[in-house]
Amino acid sequence: MNILEKIKTNYSASLNEMTVAAYLEECRKDPKMYAKPAERILDAIGEPEMLDTRQDPKLSRIFSNKKIKIYPAFRDFYGMENTIEQIVSYFRHSAQGLEEKKQILYLMGPVGGGKSSLAEKLKHLMQQNPIYVLKAGEQISPVFESPLGLFADYAEELEDEYGIPTRYIPGCMSPWAAKRLREFDGDVNRFKVIRLFPSIQEQIAISKTEPGDENNQDISTLVGKVDIRKLAEYQQSDPDAYSYTGGLCLANQGLLEFVEMFKAPIKVLNPLLTATQEKNYKGTEPIGAIPFDGIILAHSNESEWAKFLNDKKNEAFLDRIYKVQVPYCLRVSEEIKIYEKLIRESSLKDSPCAPKTIELLAEFSVMSRLKEPENSSIYSKMRVYNGETLRETDPNAKSIQEYRDDAGINEGMQGISTRFAFKILSKVFNFDSEEIAANPVHLLYVLEQEVIKMMLPPETESKYLHLIKSVLASKYAEFISDEIQKAYIESYSSYGQNIFEKYVVYADHWMQNNDYRDPDSGEIFDRSILNDELEKIEKPAGIANPKDFRSEVTNFFLRHKANHGGKSPRWDSYEKIKSVIEKKIFTNTEDLLPVVSFNVKTNEEDEKKHRDFTRRMRERGYTDKQIRILVDWFMRVRKTMA
């Protein structure tokens, strides 16, 4: 089926019509015929996938070995597991008929944190399952009311005859339906029931309300108002003279999104109280109560919430709110996925992006959101939050729970927004007029300039500039140094393997407190000499606990040999020892500088080495222009750090 046929089929399927009697018979067989909005959205969300974090060392540290739920519908919302679980819990409890069914779902978080994206996703999910709406003649109920509203005074009889629980029966029918019922002399069979799919575009069971000017906005934005054009034909109190265009009218049996809710005057919000508690509300004219059985979704930033919270006059309203915090992402790996998603959805998806560019931006964003820890570096805290273990490299690093306890519940509610970060990335890609590409050198420069332009408080600006100049720049200098060195040395695998195997032999004898005789020279190494030789390898990498590290690496080596028929593991197969050996190999950079620089070479051999170097850098993901920029930056930084 092509897209044109699919649209036609879906449109036709949404207009199925039946009698009230046929609808009730279907209700007897299928509870989905009268499902509440929370039940329908839960069905659209689907069953979660259970993830046992004990199976993944990184996740086990982040989630304390718990089993977590992953909802496929929210798979693109990275690093928001807790927020999404709270939202789903709201719908689950509401569907069970608990107190949440009377509460407003309120998303509170910083700008660019994902509140609007979550709201859009929930509206999209609300469109997945149909609703059943009352129809009289050719006119559909203007408030998309359930046919069960006709039986508001006969709830128990309806349950006895058709098995529909009384909690699914609306408390009243709409003034429009009451007028039609009078016209039909109480003959319910003259009504029809139509099957509709909620629609954002057509405002069927889904609507959006935004705060207007405080001086002229009134409750009609929610409850509708009289249609002046119809007053020539109907009395002002006639239901047919009323314009059911308010947000609550259009969102019945669905979802009402209230953007920046607490910016609206309290008089505008009052109808929400009766709509949530009594499931009906009063219009602006003397007509009967209008039913509302839908979800009210509101969102705003923290400052608006704090202002509303501190006003004692709002206590009744506050008691009817289910608050879900939507903080910024605090895990670098998940923040990277957000940027990659944004890039995929833009024309930049095929543009070159040098290694480490996106990661550096993610690290800056996350560190800007973290509370500064005591007796520990913010960089280490960021890595611990990302599920890394720093036992070997930073003895001052705390556990993830210690960091969280110290930070409190509001961590992640301030800092650089994802929206701002992506604007930075856009400028980096377009920084060079000759090449649409991104690299870390341009990123660090653009970041610094944009932070200065933001006119932040001096303390915040100082913190951000320190992160860029001292933390990120130095970490990237180490990274690009390794990249250049690896591309310079054509083959260091055999050298690395020799260091690895020698290290294991020395460490094994040292732990056993045995002397070691070198088979080639016959020289005997006692325990102190073995320790000196091991430290020559460990110190360049800054190993903090050499005893534990030696034991861990030796055990890994011996286990691998036992499980693979006596074959030794490759030196780069174990990340911990790999990074240590690389640091040992690349302690001296003097030899490579003449080769990697773009100065004129004095001989053909250096020229050939330079061509080989640039080829290997291209294989590592860099363009020719990026190689020149990054090598020049590395040479400058190396001089300043020397």
Side-chain angles (χ1 to χ4, degrees):
M1 186 185 299
N2 65 32
I3 188 170
L4 303 179
E5 293 170 338
K6 188 174 182 180
I7 292 172
K8 184 178 179 181
T9 302
N10 288 344
Y11 182 78
S12 301
S14 69
L15 297 174
N16 291 345
E17 193 173 295
M18 65 184 84
T19 64
V20 173
Y23 169 75
L24 292 175
E25 286 299 326
E26 288 297 317
C27 288
R28 192 201 304 271
K29 296 182 287 186
D30 185 6
K32 287 185 178 180
M33 298 291 290
Y34 52 83
K36 296 278 189 180
E39 294 173 80
R40 298 198 310 274
I41 207 166
L42 268 182
D43 181 74
I45 290 171
E47 290 298 316
E49 300 169 1
M50 298 303 296
L51 179 62
D52 188 351
T53 61
R54 292 176 299 179
Q55 309 302 318
D56 186 313
K58 185 175 178 179
L59 293 177
S60 71
R61 288 187 284 270
I62 295 171
F63 296 103
S64 304
N65 288 324
K66 296 176 184 174
K67 288 184 178 179
I68 60 172
K69 296 175 181 177
I70 303 296
Y71 295 91
F74 296 98
R75 200 178 292 279
D76 288 344
F77 289 82
Y78 303 108
M80 300 179 71
E81 294 85 0
N82 184 52
T83 297
I84 289 165
E85 184 55 43
Q86 289 184 65
I87 292 171
V88 175
S89 293
Y90 166 84
F91 290 122
R92 186 183 299 116
H93 298 163
S94 178
Q96 292 169 346
L98 305 180
E99 182 60 27
E100 281 80 357
K101 73 176 182 179
K102 296 181 179 181
Q103 294 189 320
I104 296 167
L105 175 59
Y106 169 61
L107 307 180
M108 187 270 285
V111 294
K115 302 184 300 294
S116 297
S117 297
L118 281 168
E120 289 301 315
K121 171 57 76 171
L122 292 173
K123 289 192 292 184
H124 173 75
L125 291 169
M126 185 57 80
Q127 295 181 116
Q128 303 304 304
N129 289 312
I131 59 173
Y132 293 86
V133 176
L134 204 58
K135 183 180 179 183
E138 296 302 315
Q139 190 179 7
I140 297 173
S141 168
V143 292
F144 306 111
E145 64 187 297
S146 166
L148 299 181
L150 296 171
F151 305 93
D153 297 330
Y154 305 92
E156 292 183 2
E157 291 95 323
L158 200 65
E159 182 174 15
D160 293 340
E161 191 168 346
Y162 292 98
I164 303 171
T166 55
R167 69 186 182 90
Y168 287 94
I169 313 301
C172 65
M173 70 180 80
S174 71
W176 174 88
K179 179 180 179 180
R180 299 298 173 281
L181 191 60
R182 287 194 300 272
E183 292 173 350
F184 296 159
D185 296 325
D187 186 359
V188 173
N189 289 319
R190 293 182 64 179
F191 284 98
K192 298 292 183 183
V193 177
I194 189 169
R195 177 175 179 261
L196 294 174
F197 277 88
S199 169
I200 298 171
Q201 179 67 32
E202 298 181 46
Q203 294 195 83
I204 298 175
I206 298 176
S207 68
K208 177 187 271 190
T209 299
E210 298 178 349
D213 185 271
E214 188 166 341
N215 297 319
N216 59 28
Q217 187 177 25
D218 57 29
I219 62 172
S220 64
T221 57
L222 286 175
V223 304
K225 59 185 176 181
V226 71
D227 188 340
I228 298 175
R229 293 170 300 179
K230 294 182 179 180
L231 291 180
E233 187 178 352
Y234 301 103
Q235 292 184 2
Q236 191 167 337
S237 60
D238 194 304
D240 286 339
Y242 200 75
S243 176
Y244 301 89
T245 54
L248 290 170
C249 307
L250 299 172
N252 188 30
Q253 291 208 74
L255 186 148
L256 166 64
E257 179 190 6
F258 206 136
V259 181
E260 300 291 349
M261 183 174 76
F262 296 127
K263 287 183 179 178
I266 189 66
K267 65 179 182 179
V268 176
L269 302 180
N270 285 330
L272 300 180
L273 295 177
T274 52
T276 53
Q277 298 303 297
E278 301 170 20
K279 296 301 178 185
N280 64 70
Y281 55 93
K282 192 79 175 66
T284 57
E285 304 302 325
I287 60 175
I290 304 170
F292 178 78
D293 190 7
I295 294 161
I296 299 173
L297 169 66
H299 49 88
S300 72
N301 58 41
E302 192 174 6
S303 61
E304 295 296 334
W305 165 254
K307 181 180 176 182
F308 194 84
L309 183 66
N310 292 327
D311 191 339
K312 292 294 182 183
K313 293 182 293 185
N314 301 329
E315 285 182 348
F317 210 96
L318 292 168
D319 194 44
R320 291 161 170 81
I321 287 176
Y322 182 97
K323 182 167 73 79
V324 176
Q325 287 199 173
V326 186
Y328 290 130
C329 177
L330 297 180
R331 304 207 312 266
V332 171
S333 58
E334 299 301 298
E335 186 77 5
I336 289 170
K337 291 177 184 176
I338 296 173
Y339 301 156
E340 289 174 341
K341 175 192 172 186
L342 293 170
I343 290 173
R344 281 197 308 271
E345 295 171 351
S346 74
S347 62
L348 299 175
K349 63 180 181 179
D350 297 321
S351 301
C353 185
K356 203 72 174 177
T357 307
I358 294 177
E359 186 177 339
L360 281 175
L361 179 59
E363 289 177 349
F364 173 73
S365 297
V366 169
M367 284 191 288
S368 75
R369 302 163 184 170
L370 296 177
K371 180 183 176 184
E372 196 80 38
E374 294 183 9
N375 304 319
S376 177
S377 75
I378 197 167
Y379 189 80
S380 293
K381 180 177 181 178
M382 174 201 71
R383 293 181 63 191
V384 170
Y385 271 32
N386 203 41
E388 299 179 49
T389 177
L390 306 183
R391 185 175 58 187
E392 304 294 344
T393 55
D394 184 0
N396 293 323
K398 302 176 184 178
S399 69
I400 192 168
Q401 195 57 50
E402 287 179 294
Y403 281 130
R404 285 173 178 165
D405 291 343
D406 177 62
I409 60 172
N410 287 324
E411 188 172 45
M413 301 297 282
Q414 295 179 329
I416 292 297
S417 73
T418 305
R419 191 177 294 129
F420 174 82
F422 193 59
K423 286 192 286 187
I424 292 289
L425 206 53
S426 302
K427 290 186 177 182
V428 173
F429 269 99
N430 292 282
F431 186 83
D432 193 323
S433 59
E434 298 177 10
E435 180 181 62
I436 298 179
N439 68 74
V441 171
H442 288 162
L443 171 69
L444 294 171
Y445 176 78
V446 171
L447 260 181
E448 182 180 343
Q449 297 305 308
E450 291 301 313
V451 165
I452 293 171
K453 288 180 188 176
M454 289 170 74
M455 303 290 287
L456 295 164
E459 185 180 341
T460 305
E461 180 179 299
S462 176
K463 174 188 173 181
Y464 289 178
L465 292 177
H466 170 74
L467 292 177
I468 296 166
K469 294 179 177 180
S470 300
V471 181
L472 296 181
S474 63
K475 295 296 179 184
Y476 183 65
E478 294 175 14
F479 174 82
I480 195 61
S481 174
D482 285 350
E483 288 282 274
I484 290 171
Q485 289 163 346
K486 290 171 187 175
Y488 167 73
I489 298 178
E490 187 166 9
S491 175
Y492 56 91
S493 292
S494 58
Y495 183 36
Q497 190 69 24
N498 289 336
I499 294 176
F500 178 39
E501 294 182 2
K502 186 178 288 186
Y503 180 87
V504 171
V505 170
Y506 288 175
D508 190 32
H509 281 77
W510 181 85
M511 287 187 298
Q512 301 298 329
N513 203 11
N514 293 332
D515 292 343
Y516 171 69
R517 181 186 292 275
D518 189 312
D520 296 326
S521 65
E523 186 179 358
I524 295 177
F525 295 172
D526 62 20
R527 198 165 191 263
S528 63
I529 297 175
L530 288 172
N531 187 66
D532 292 342
E533 293 297 319
L534 290 167
E535 286 184 347
K536 288 178 184 177
I537 299 172
E538 295 161 349
K539 281 188 174 179
I543 298 299
N545 299 302
K547 182 178 179 181
D548 292 343
F549 183 76
R550 293 168 190 178
S551 175
E552 192 174 344
V553 172
T554 304
N555 288 336
F556 165 76
F557 184 90
L558 297 175
R559 281 198 308 272
H560 187 283
K561 286 191 72 171
N563 295 331
H564 295 82
K567 184 179 178 182
S568 299
R570 282 175 51 86
W571 71 276
D572 56 358
S573 63
Y574 191 42
E575 187 61 35
K576 289 184 177 180
I577 192 64
K578 174 177 177 284
S579 60
V580 169
I581 292 173
E582 284 178 347
K583 292 285 194 305
K584 168 65 177 173
I585 294 174
F586 301 131
T587 49
N588 183 16
T589 62
E590 296 299 327
D591 296 338
L592 63 81
L593 294 179
V595 172
V596 302
S597 71
F598 283 79
N599 298 331
V600 178
K601 302 296 178 280
T602 56
N603 56 67
E604 180 58 32
E605 183 181 355
D606 281 355
E607 184 63 40
K608 182 180 182 303
K609 286 181 179 179
H610 180 75
R611 288 196 300 269
D612 290 342
F613 161 75
T614 55
R615 174 179 56 79
R616 285 190 285 272
M617 286 291 283
R618 284 195 297 271
E619 291 170 355
R620 301 184 78 83
Y622 300 89
T623 67
D624 287 338
K625 191 156 192 177
Q626 287 173 345
I627 297 168
R628 181 183 288 271
I629 292 169
L630 299 180
V631 167
D632 288 347
W633 183 85
F634 167 69
M635 305 278 272
R636 289 197 309 273
V637 169
R638 183 182 168 280
K639 288 178 182 176
T640 60
M641 296 175 68

